[in-house]
Amino acid sequence: MTVEEIKQTYSMRDILDRYGIHVNRSGFASCPFHTGDRTPSLKVYKNDFYCFACGAHGDIFTFVQKMDNLTFREAFQLLGGNYEKSTVAARMKIYHAQKAREMEAKRRAAAWKKVKDNLGAIGRLREEIPKLEPFSDEWCEAQNEMLQQLALFDYMQEEDGLWSH
Ligand SMILES: [Zn+2]
């Protein structure tokens, strides 16, 4: 849970309950932060507390910190917070999404380069072949290359999925 989620989950009263501190009908409790609070001086609000005798005040996290002598982080974790975990997970997610986008951009750039080369080769062969003597070695070689380039063209249309984008 995040800080906000914890605040929405636990009221100040819920936290006092955890420590077995009774809140009277006027919303006051005996202050655990100063001694001899016979007349309850700790006013319990929905999300905060304030002691009219010793001035102790804060929210649910402050209360837990003061009660158990904890750092904010420890109190936060005690109440079910997992800031660190969710932040790392969120960062990893962003990192992987970025990497995936980069990979996809590279893949598409490489695929487009192949298409460009392929179309260039086809165009060049279309001009070259009519100039060659039919059935000569050069002509056969050029025809053979043309067939390969056309096959590659068909293959790329299906494999790279570039045409559907
Ligand atoms: Zn007090």
Side-chain angles (χ1 to χ4, degrees):
M1 287 194 287
T2 63
V3 169
E4 277 314 306
E5 284 166 351
I6 292 170
K7 278 184 177 175
Q8 276 164 25
T9 305
Y10 301 111
S11 67
M12 197 66 236
R13 208 175 269 248
D14 292 333
I15 300 300
L16 266 73
D17 273 348
R18 283 171 75 128
Y19 293 97
I21 298 170
H22 173 72
V23 181
N24 69 21
R25 267 183 259 167
S26 318
F28 279 91
S30 289
C31 179
F33 306 120
H34 74 273
T35 48
D37 194 24
R38 294 218 182 117
T39 320
S41 314
L42 190 89
K43 177 68 176 168
V44 179
Y45 303 98
K46 191 175 175 294
N47 302 113
D48 309 281
F49 67 94
Y50 183 83
C51 176
F52 288 92
C54 73
H57 66 279
D59 60 9
I60 56 171
F61 296 104
T62 319
F63 193 88
V64 171
Q65 277 181 258
K66 280 166 122 18
M67 284 301 283
D68 293 329
N69 193 26
L70 302 174
T71 63
F72 171 79
R73 180 178 288 239
E74 288 165 343
F76 172 66
Q77 284 170 341
L78 188 69
L79 292 172
N82 50 9
Y83 175 76
E84 240 181 332
K85 248 172 155 176
S86 62
T87 302
V88 170
R91 278 190 199 150
M92 289 300 280
K93 217 172 155 185
I94 291 166
Y95 175 79
H96 284 305
Q98 271 174 352
K99 279 284 157 206
R101 274 200 301 275
E102 280 172 27
M103 294 286 286
E104 174 62 11
K106 270 187 195 165
R107 191 193 70 78
R108 287 176 65 81
W112 273 117
K113 191 185 176 304
K114 272 200 290 180
V115 169
K116 237 178 108 186
D117 291 350
N118 173 240
L119 291 175
I122 290 170
R124 178 174 52 77
L125 290 165
R126 279 220 174 101
E127 281 183 22
E128 248 177 50
I129 289 169
K131 293 177 197 162
L132 299 169
E133 189 190 332
F135 305 107
S136 66
D137 284 353
E138 292 90 348
W139 185 88
C140 286
E141 220 171 89
Q143 285 289 7
N144 195 33
E145 201 193 333
M146 182 60 134
L147 285 175
Q148 280 178 21
Q149 291 293 348
L150 288 173
L152 183 62
F153 180 81
D154 285 343
Y155 168 80
M156 284 192 296
Q157 280 197 69
E158 285 169 21
E159 288 303 303
D160 293 328
L162 288 168
W163 313 97
S164 55
H165 289 282

